[in-house]
Amino acid sequence: MVHSLCRFKEEEFKWLLQEEVHGVLRQLQDILKEASHRFALPVGSTEGPVKQENFMLGTSSADQVKGVLMLQGDALCQAFSNGVVIYDLRLPPVEIRFKVKNWLNQYCSKCPHSAVSVDGSVGDGMYGFEGDINLKIPRNNQLLHFTFREDKQWKLQQIQDARNHVNQAIYLLTNRDVNYQFKTGSEVLKLMDAVMLQLTRARNRLTTPASLTLPEIASSGLTKMFTPALPSDILVNFYINLNKLCLTVYQLHALQPNSTKNFRPTGGSILHNPGAMFECGSQRYEVSHVHKVECVVPWLNDALVFFTVSLQLCQQLKDKISVFSSYD
Amino acid sequence: MGVEVTARTAELPAAGGDSGVIELRPGLHWLGKDRSKLRNFGYVNNVAEVDVLRSTHRSVFTAINPRALLFGHTASITCLSKASASSEKQYIVSASESGCLPASDTFRSDVGKAVENLIPPLLFSVLDRADKQLLICPPVTRFFYGRRECFHKLLIQGDSSGRLCIWSVPDTLELQDNTEGLQMTTSTSLQEAFCKLTPCPAGIIDQLSLIPNSNEPLKVTASVYIPAHGRLVCGREDGSIVIVPATQTAIVQLLQGEHMLRRGWPPHRNLRAHRNKVTCLLYPHQVSSRYDQRYLISGGVDFSVIIWDIFSGEMKHIFCVHGGEITQLLVPPENCSGRVQHCICSVASDHSVGLLSLREKKCIMLASRHLFPIQVIKWRPSDDYLVVGCSDGSVYVWQMDTGALDRCVMGITAVEILNACDEAVPAAVDSLSHPAVNLKQAMTRRSLAALKNMAHQKLQTLATNLLASEASDKGNLPKYSHNSLMVQAIKTNLTDPDIHVLFFDVEALIIQLLTEEASRPNTALISPENLQKASGSSDKGGSFLAGKRAAVLFQQVKETIKENIKEHLLDDEDEDEESMRQRREDSDPEYRSSKSKPLTLLEYNLTMDTAKLFMSCLHAWGLNEVLDDVCLDRLGMLKPHCSVSFGLLSRGGHMSLMLPGYNQSIGKPSYGSVEVERKMSITEGLGRGTYGVSRAVTTQHLLSIISLANTLMSMTNATFIGDHMKKGPIRPPRPGTPDLSKMKSSPPASSNAAQGQIKQGWSQLAAMHCVMLPDLLGLEKFRPPLLEMLARRWQDRCLEVREAAQALLLAELRRIEQAGRKETIDAWAPYLPQYIDSIISREYSPFILKLIWLKYMIKASV
């Protein structure tokens, strides 16, 4: 009785290794290829023109910052599509409109004893950038308008990484083709662990944005991406959080060197709060205002769902295998 | 991370080539279209380095001149190293995933010379694995320059089967004609080392787990040690649970003696209800005293969790709520709601978590929606939340009271929730460890009492920290423990049986021995009060211990403030526990009845048994035959079966264990027949071997054996033979049993002459280990004790250890003679205050050295 039970178990394990595992692997490949296509969506088809997606960040009227971002694939992607491909998420042109609403006034009323005078001349000195934006009359609503430089592109590292991890997972799966014979359960577990590691990393890359310190944001290449150049008292950061593309704009206030204010530099964070201080090139700054706008990117949502589904598939296969490994 | 590199290099323009090699910029090279994979190389020591993470390539591109592509591998390359010392000839060793290692050499005369003058690289030889067994992951290969001689090149490979292979790469660059390649110099594995052992390494309850018609005993799959009773509980793969006295079973496994002839020894109890492997065991009372002392919880592969009564041996309840094997049993923190406090938390492989109430005998919550294996369980008692972290990074927050899923989050929020639990729990459960948090809370609540409490706690924290730093030197738990013996189970692999490590606390053992000695005369006058008070010999003794420690304290004229704080705090704590227990006993009749009920296994003297086991393992057998006979016949020690494997705990809490093979030097040609070797290892193993392992081991062992021998010498009737070993001296007789007379009759049996002989035996034993050991063993087999470790024990809080350390230090200073003492002083001179230099420069007497050590020690403690 016990003997026959053992034999059935052995048979079933054999079936699991020979049939079921390959079935799951095929399914996983299909899902991940689909996910990978989502990332490649802006590349477009070979015959048509490159597709572009426009995303409006900050659509409500209450938002003080608005951004129009364009996700664009480009020709370089196609050229490399046979190998490991870098994915480009480019954002040209970007328009960031800051609605400056009486903020200088607010700021000045907050710290009346600070060394900054409330004169228009100071505003001029602080925001002395050229172009159509004039801050001489701070009481009225003003629009600061920036676009991305034509000669540069900005790539979102998070999306690149996620894409690379997915491709790595697909590579691991294709490495074991249908004719490959799995002999032991631990072999399958090992493969699943490797695939799950890549998938978890891909997903984590999208779900956990890097927490940067303010000097890191200030020195990142993104600040040099704009035309007209960003004034020194404005910092911009883009990141992906789950399925959302987020844009944060920090308005800074330069601290006087002899300021009595207790200077304490803040550490890394995804979103810094007003009052955060940092030092950049011997000049100390304090964040006076923070604006955050975001916009849902539908295909990122799809990709996240695909990641989760394939992770579950992997886990289920692992669970099935481990049922047997505990008996033999 | 490696993947990110790929993305960056891809920015560079690329052109295809037939060979698949494209050089782009210094440091970055791609293999082109025909291989269709992007590779990244960087320069390290002028040799191309392969990025291991994404190594799907089977060739090496040399960055040195001439640039060339080296083929020969059949799998991805995992290790690459420059292997020539001279700059004249370059020589690369590369290793690939399959374990095949082509060692290729390239020749070059000069970097600056024209390319056509150079000889192209050649494949020098291929090293192949001897056995082609399937590995679950690629082996790790490293290239080393050996220490033994100059330019001694070693290629070392370790793989997932536990095998270590060493190749010695020849320095000569002549091309070998033979196609066999380089021969493996050495290959060894842990499995081989274990298999070679005779007798086979013993499992802790092997004698009780024999299966008919099989060489292998039943595997122990889970175990828990109950220090209060000295019992080890082992769950086995057939579903049975064995409760056995830990010292007795360890003695059977490690030492030779009459017990070898008895069947079914030591006395044990079998609990049977699980239908398959027992996976986890928990004795909740050990974690928190709020649980009933009788309850033992076990979980098995058969999905069930069972409550046992360890005193009666009956099954109290069986929970069948999980849909998978039970993987873990946990105890909720102290400040949970009353209902949850009497639960235990069970985790199963179907990714479910249950809260099983021991009092209500039912499952009050089952959290079973998790999609991925459970990685961590955290508690937010203040919010009544159970927080479950899964392996995919998702976090589930459950309400314990209602069993409802509060939320399920992922990503950054999940990390934040888990971190928040970490902050909250220690502040709530263990107020000592996070005084800052508590102070903040007290401030916000503006409660004077809380603030006052905080101040007290801060002082306590200070004291515990001071103590911890001191105690961790000894590799002990930071707090004084009442347990002289701890048994810890370790699993190296899920399918392997548990191995058990025995931890001896010499200080606790000495105190327990002295406590029993001090209480001995009192056994004649047994009054009801004494009975009540003395029940449960080992976990109760708090007042005795405090008294003893105080006595030790007052003997010393000078004491540091550190010790004062310690004494005070520990006394306080003991009192609290005492009064609490008293109150509880008065109020709770059930508790009282459970408490006075002993385990109905054979009674035995736990302290003396522990001492017997410990001394027998430590004694250097086979060096002095007369002394060995005295030890066996008069003192009742037993010879070990084979060499006992010792370990050492470090300050950071790391443990190193000696594994088989440590005493066989690798690569040495085996001399003589197997028979001779085996004999040698047995005689060597009996105590002698451990004194040649390391200086730290020697120090600890000598300190332990000398301090224990001195303690035993000061006791009456301190031999391990006789009736008194059967029964704890202060354990009360159960009413209505005839045991009383038997126990009482034992002490007067020993006459004065016998007493004297026993004392003489212990003194001989101490003297041998203190003074004669270096001469008896010879300096090759003896690693002298560390002076600085002894100096730190010069003022140990335990008087016996202190005396042993002082004796050992003086003996060692005498042994190393003038030259050695001068060397020591020279080594430590920079750390000493200036004014002492003028004194010691004249004469290196042991006394002065002692002074210096004291000085150093005081400095270190301040």
Side-chain angles (χ1 to χ4, degrees):
Chain A
M1 168 67 192
V2 173
H3 216 77
S4 63
L5 207 69
C6 281
R7 221 192 60 231
F8 284 133
K9 253 174 205 160
E10 223 165 78
E11 287 281 306
E12 198 179 334
F13 190 48
K14 224 164 138 189
W15 168 84
L16 184 68
L17 285 182
Q18 286 174 356
E19 310 288 332
E20 180 72 0
V21 170
H22 282 294
V24 174
L25 292 190
R26 205 167 40 244
Q27 215 177 338
L28 275 172
Q29 280 185 46
D30 292 345
I31 296 172
L32 290 181
K33 274 184 185 143
E34 193 63 32
S36 170
H37 286 159
R38 292 302 144 121
F39 283 99
L41 191 101
V43 176
S45 50
T46 39
E47 68 272 9
V50 171
K51 275 196 227 164
Q52 292 188 341
E53 289 176 284
N54 283 323
F55 293 105
M56 290 285 293
L57 284 89
T59 41
S60 85
S61 57
D63 285 320
Q64 300 214 336
V65 172
K66 281 195 204 305
V68 180
L69 299 182
M70 196 178 291
L71 305 188
Q72 187 190 53
D74 77 341
L76 203 72
C77 280
Q78 277 176 304
F80 283 88
S81 59
N82 56 348
V84 174
V85 177
I86 9 124
Y87 175 74
D88 293 318
L89 172 62
R90 301 187 162 190
L91 313 165
V94 169
E95 299 174 53
I96 304 172
R97 295 192 180 88
F98 304 106
K99 251 187 192 168
V100 186
K101 206 186 271 174
N102 286 344
W103 67 270
L104 191 62
N105 211 18
Q106 286 165 17
Y107 164 72
C108 291
S109 62
K110 250 187 218 166
C111 39
H113 303 300
S114 99
V116 186
S117 90
V118 285
D119 257 340
S121 60
V122 171
D124 198 11
M126 284 168 79
Y127 309 103
F129 35 77
E130 296 144 74
D132 49 336
I133 293 150
N134 197 338
L135 271 178
K136 274 194 176 155
I137 316 144
R139 278 193 188 82
N140 298 346
N141 288 354
Q142 284 290 340
L143 276 178
L144 302 185
H145 184 104
F146 301 96
T147 52
F148 263 34
R149 278 160 62 174
E150 290 293 323
D151 57 330
K152 285 203 171 183
Q153 303 118 7
W154 178 250
K155 291 163 196 153
L156 274 175
Q157 194 74 41
Q158 283 178 285
I159 292 185
Q160 281 182 36
D161 288 345
R163 163 77 185 246
N164 275 326
H165 284 302
V166 175
N167 281 348
Q168 195 67 24
I170 294 174
Y171 168 76
L172 287 169
L173 290 170
T174 46
N175 226 6
R176 303 263 187 271
D177 61 4
V178 192
N179 300 322
Y180 185 85
Q181 294 263 334
F182 287 100
K183 288 179 196 74
T184 59
S186 61
E187 208 181 343
V188 181
L189 292 182
K190 201 86 195 163
L191 175 67
M192 283 299 108
D193 282 340
V195 172
M196 286 174 83
L197 181 70
Q198 294 298 334
L199 290 177
T200 319
R201 280 184 180 163
R203 197 171 63 167
N204 282 351
R205 214 54 191 97
L206 297 179
T207 53
T208 40
S211 60
L212 298 169
T213 61
L214 286 163
E216 277 169 347
I217 296 173
S219 57
S220 80
L222 186 62
T223 48
K224 297 167 191 81
M225 286 295 303
F226 293 97
T227 175
L230 284 181
S232 64
D233 58 354
I234 283 183
L235 287 182
V236 175
N237 191 22
F238 286 108
Y239 57 84
I240 302 281
N241 189 9
L242 288 163
N243 57 352
K244 289 192 283 283
L245 177 62
C246 304
L247 160 68
T248 47
V249 175
Y250 299 101
Q251 283 176 323
L252 308 176
H253 149 62
L255 289 171
Q256 295 301 314
N258 54 355
S259 160
T260 48
K261 226 175 189 182
N262 201 358
F263 178 75
R264 211 160 46 102
T266 44
S269 168
I270 295 161
L271 186 68
H272 295 271
N273 293 321
M277 289 184 261
F278 73 104
E279 194 163 5
C280 184
S282 78
Q283 175 63 56
R284 289 173 172 180
Y285 295 98
E286 183 181 1
V287 174
S288 58
H289 286 77
V290 180
H291 308 283
K292 185 189 167 192
V293 283
E294 56 189 29
C295 161
V296 172
V297 181
W299 58 267
L300 274 178
N301 200 32
D302 293 352
L304 281 169
V305 170
F306 286 136
F307 289 161
T308 308
V309 169
S310 30
L311 271 170
Q312 277 176 30
L313 267 175
C314 290
Q315 185 57 47
Q316 279 163 11
L317 183 61
K318 269 182 78 176
D319 287 346
K320 281 177 198 163
I321 296 278
S322 48
V323 165
F324 290 98
S325 63
S326 72
Y327 283 110
D328 59 23
Chain B
M1 231 154 44
V3 182
E4 285 167 27
V5 173
T6 318
R8 251 182 283 130
T9 54
E11 276 183 82
L12 298 165
D18 286 340
S19 68
V21 184
I22 312 139
E23 192 199 327
L24 287 160
R25 282 182 196 176
L28 297 169
H29 306 274
W30 291 359
L31 296 179
K33 215 178 169 188
D34 58 338
R35 294 189 177 255
S36 73
K37 295 286 185 316
L38 180 71
R39 295 309 324 276
N40 174 41
F41 295 90
Y43 290 98
V44 173
N45 295 331
N46 216 15
V47 169
E49 187 103 318
V50 179
D51 191 332
V52 180
L53 277 177
R54 290 159 299 129
S55 58
T56 48
H57 276 272
R58 292 157 189 191
S59 50
V60 178
F61 182 80
T62 59
I64 47 168
N65 274 332
R67 297 187 198 281
L69 193 64
L70 310 178
F71 293 100
H73 284 288
T74 52
S76 315
I77 296 157
T78 56
C79 166
L80 191 63
S81 179
K82 181 177 145 179
S84 66
S86 74
S87 60
E88 289 294 296
K89 285 154 184 172
Q90 290 285 350
Y91 192 158
I92 294 173
V93 174
S94 60
S96 66
E97 261 178 20
S98 65
C100 163
L101 315 156
S104 41
D105 58 348
T106 63
F107 300 83
R108 66 161 195 173
S109 41
D110 198 352
V111 186
K113 272 192 184 173
V115 179
E116 55 262 32
N117 288 350
L118 299 166
I119 309 155
L122 294 165
L123 179 66
F124 177 59
S125 68
V126 175
L127 314 177
D128 214 347
R129 287 169 51 82
D131 50 336
K132 298 280 186 194
Q133 75 179 91
L134 191 74
L135 296 177
I136 49 167
C137 63
V140 177
T141 317
R142 289 286 176 273
F143 179 80
F144 291 99
Y145 287 105
R147 278 214 199 135
R148 217 175 293 161
E149 47 199 282
C150 200
F151 308 136
H152 187 74
K153 297 168 194 162
L154 295 175
L155 198 62
I156 300 179
Q157 184 175 71
D159 65 31
S160 60
S161 66
R163 177 168 293 282
L164 207 63
C165 303
I166 302 175
W167 287 271
S168 175
V169 182
D171 208 31
T172 53
L173 288 167
E174 283 97 49
L175 241 141
Q176 288 172 333
D177 285 330
N178 59 348
T179 48
E180 288 163 32
L182 214 55
Q183 285 300 308
M184 196 184 294
T185 316
T186 313
S187 169
T188 184
S189 73
L190 266 180
Q191 187 64 49
E192 276 172 23
F194 268 104
C195 290
K196 267 191 218 155
L197 280 185
T198 45
C200 272
I204 192 115
I205 54 161
D206 274 1
Q207 77 282 5
L208 305 174
S209 306
L210 295 173
I211 313 171
N213 311 323
S214 166
N215 290 330
E216 294 278 307
L218 265 177
K219 281 181 190 166
V220 175
T221 51
S223 45
V224 66
Y225 178 62
I226 307 174
H229 305 287
R231 298 292 197 272
L232 182 70
V233 184
C234 293
R236 297 185 292 187
E237 61 181 343
D238 68 340
S240 60
I241 297 167
V242 176
I243 304 178
V244 71
T247 45
Q248 299 278 333
T249 192
I251 285 172
V252 172
Q253 294 307 330
L254 294 172
L255 308 176
Q256 305 168 342
E258 54 178 3
H259 53 253
M260 290 166 76
L261 302 172
R262 296 193 214 169
R263 277 171 61 93
W265 179 266
H268 58 278
R269 170 169 281 155
N270 241 326
L271 310 177
R272 286 180 193 276
H274 282 293
R275 267 175 293 175
N276 208 323
K277 206 158 79 180
V278 180
T279 51
C280 39
L281 286 167
L282 177 75
Y283 183 59
H285 181 74
Q286 194 175 324
V287 185
S288 167
S289 54
R290 65 174 187 262
Y291 292 100
D292 196 317
Q293 215 187 358
R294 292 168 299 173
Y295 285 162
L296 172 79
I297 321 293
S298 67
V301 165
D302 57 356
F303 304 1
S304 62
V305 176
I306 297 178
I307 308 177
W308 303 91
D309 182 331
I310 50 166
F311 295 121
S312 67
E314 58 185 322
M315 184 174 94
K316 285 283 182 192
H317 191 75
I318 178 161
F319 294 101
C320 291
V321 292
H322 289 292
E325 301 166 14
I326 312 298
T327 55
Q328 240 186 323
L329 293 170
L330 303 161
V331 171
E334 209 68 52
N335 46 354
C336 285
S337 69
R339 195 164 178 228
V340 177
Q341 274 207 14
H342 286 92
C343 289
I344 53 134
C345 173
S346 57
V347 184
S349 63
D350 67 337
H351 319 152
S352 62
V353 182
L355 281 179
L356 312 175
S357 174
L358 304 187
R359 186 175 270 178
E360 298 167 52
K361 304 269 194 304
K362 71 173 192 187
C363 172
I364 66 164
M365 189 192 103
L366 185 67
S368 61
R369 292 242 195 116
H370 313 108
L371 295 169
F372 290 89
I374 287 152
Q375 209 162 37
V376 65
I377 290 189
K378 297 199 170 179
W379 309 83
R380 294 287 303 248
S382 49
D383 304 323
D384 194 44
Y385 284 150
L386 172 74
V387 182
V388 179
C390 293
S391 65
D392 71 325
S394 56
V395 163
Y396 293 74
V397 180
W398 296 86
Q399 286 179 345
M400 285 192 271
D401 207 23
T402 58
L405 179 61
D406 189 73
R407 71 211 118 127
C408 166
V409 285
M410 279 195 47
I412 193 79
T413 339
V415 177
E416 277 165 5
I417 287 180
L418 281 182
N419 288 345
C421 290
D422 276 341
E423 284 161 19
V425 168
V429 171
D430 179 16
S431 49
L432 292 185
S433 54
H434 271 261
V437 178
N438 269 10
L439 192 61
K440 204 172 143 196
Q441 283 173 1
M443 287 295 255
T444 48
R445 282 176 207 150
R446 286 157 205 258
S447 125
L448 191 66
L451 273 173
K452 215 165 150 189
N453 196 20
M454 270 311 307
H456 178 65
Q457 279 179 355
K458 270 224 156 151
L459 185 71
Q460 270 195 326
T461 320
L462 184 77
T464 15
N465 287 346
L466 275 172
L467 291 183
S469 66
E470 185 196 46
S472 56
D473 287 350
K474 297 165 222 155
N476 286 340
L477 298 165
K479 233 174 83 179
Y480 172 79
S481 71
H482 295 268
N483 308 316
S484 52
L485 175 71
M486 274 302 296
V487 182
Q488 177 68 51
I490 295 174
K491 218 182 236 313
T492 49
N493 191 327
L494 206 65
T495 52
D496 283 350
D498 275 8
I499 54 172
H500 294 85
V501 182
L502 309 180
F503 292 92
F504 293 95
D505 185 338
V506 180
E507 190 187 43
L509 186 55
I510 289 172
I511 290 173
Q512 272 175 26
L513 283 171
L514 292 175
T515 312
E516 286 181 12
E517 171 73 11
S519 64
R520 187 154 301 163
N522 293 347
T523 44
L525 355 135
I526 296 171
S527 66
E529 288 94 331
N530 276 359
L531 257 181
Q532 186 69 26
K533 212 174 177 187
S535 63
S537 67
S538 48
D539 66 328
K540 262 294 267 235
S543 52
F544 285 128
L545 290 186
K548 175 67 199 166
R549 269 201 317 277
V552 172
L553 186 75
F554 290 128
Q555 277 173 23
Q556 290 307 114
V557 184
K558 243 170 65 177
E559 281 294 348
T560 56
I561 181 162
K562 192 157 129 188
E563 285 194 351
N564 277 325
I565 293 171
K566 168 186 73 198
E567 294 296 329
H568 180 70
L569 285 177
L570 287 178
D571 286 356
D572 248 23
E573 229 169 63
D574 286 342
E575 261 171 40
D576 281 355
E577 240 170 79
E578 196 83 13
S579 57
M580 209 175 72
R581 192 179 290 137
Q582 202 66 48
R583 247 179 284 138
R584 199 161 164 190
E585 271 169 39
D586 293 342
S587 61
D588 191 349
E590 197 199 2
Y591 183 82
R592 182 162 41 187
S593 71
S594 74
K595 184 142 176 63
S596 56
K597 203 173 182 183
L599 270 168
T600 50
L601 293 176
L602 182 94
E603 293 300 316
Y604 68 108
N605 187 334
L606 177 62
T607 316
M608 284 301 268
D609 258 356
T610 310
K612 178 181 178 177
L613 175 65
F614 194 41
M615 290 299 272
S616 302
C617 290
L618 281 181
H619 176 57
W621 294 93
L623 293 177
N624 183 341
E625 276 185 33
V626 183
L627 182 59
D628 281 0
D629 288 343
V630 170
C631 287
L632 285 173
D633 301 337
R634 206 177 295 154
L635 306 180
M637 284 159 64
L638 298 171
K639 267 190 183 176
H641 290 297
C642 58
S643 88
V644 179
S645 179
F646 286 101
L648 210 56
L649 279 174
S650 78
R651 183 191 275 267
H654 295 276
M655 182 171 65
S656 59
L657 286 176
M658 293 199 292
L659 291 177
Y662 72 92
N663 45 10
Q664 298 150 12
S665 105
I666 300 258
K668 241 191 238 171
S670 61
Y671 47 86
S673 65
V674 184
E675 200 63 30
V676 172
E677 261 183 48
R678 219 190 66 180
K679 258 194 181 147
M680 264 203 50
S681 70
I682 286 177
T683 50
E684 219 174 68
L686 294 185
R688 261 199 252 179
T690 58
Y691 291 103
V693 174
S694 93
R695 301 189 67 181
V697 172
T698 309
T699 319
Q700 289 290 0
H701 287 185
L702 288 181
L703 263 181
S704 308
I705 197 165
I706 295 168
S707 55
L708 264 178
N710 285 337
T711 312
L712 289 164
M713 196 162 54
S714 69
M715 291 169 62
T716 50
N717 203 23
T719 168
F720 301 133
I721 314 175
D723 280 345
H724 65 283
M725 288 297 289
K726 299 268 159 58
K727 201 122 178 82
I730 54 169
R731 200 172 267 281
R734 265 167 291 145
T737 48
D739 282 9
L740 189 67
S741 57
K742 193 183 164 194
M743 192 199 73
K744 267 169 132 183
S745 67
S746 62
S750 48
S751 67
N752 272 350
Q755 287 286 334
Q757 282 180 338
I758 289 167
K759 281 185 195 293
Q760 196 193 349
W762 290 122
S763 120
Q764 281 174 356
L765 184 74
M768 186 192 110
H769 286 93
C770 189
V771 189
M772 282 136 76
L773 207 56
D775 296 332
L776 287 170
L777 275 170
L779 277 178
E780 310 90 75
K781 285 182 181 162
F782 179 74
R783 298 216 153 211
L786 282 167
L787 288 175
E788 47 269 41
M789 275 175 82
L790 293 173
R792 297 226 29 168
R793 297 297 188 91
W794 188 271
Q795 285 205 315
D796 197 271
R797 59 173 164 170
C798 176
L799 192 64
E800 281 71 21
V801 173
R802 189 184 298 199
E803 277 168 355
Q806 291 173 358
L808 252 180
L809 180 59
L810 293 181
E812 179 62 13
L813 286 176
R814 218 171 292 128
R815 191 188 67 81
I816 59 175
E817 294 178 340
Q818 183 91 6
R821 292 200 286 267
K822 182 176 174 356
E823 212 174 283
T824 316
I825 290 182
D826 289 345
W828 284 101
Y831 308 102
L832 292 171
Q834 286 300 312
Y835 62 88
I836 229 168
D837 284 351
S838 55
I839 316 170
I840 53 164
S841 55
R842 282 177 231 134
E843 193 192 359
Y844 299 114
S845 77
F847 175 71
I848 296 289
L849 266 172
K850 204 169 78 188
L851 258 184
I852 297 169
W853 284 116
L854 272 176
K855 199 83 210 167
Y856 158 72
M857 238 205 43
I858 292 161
K859 256 182 98 175
S861 62
V862 171

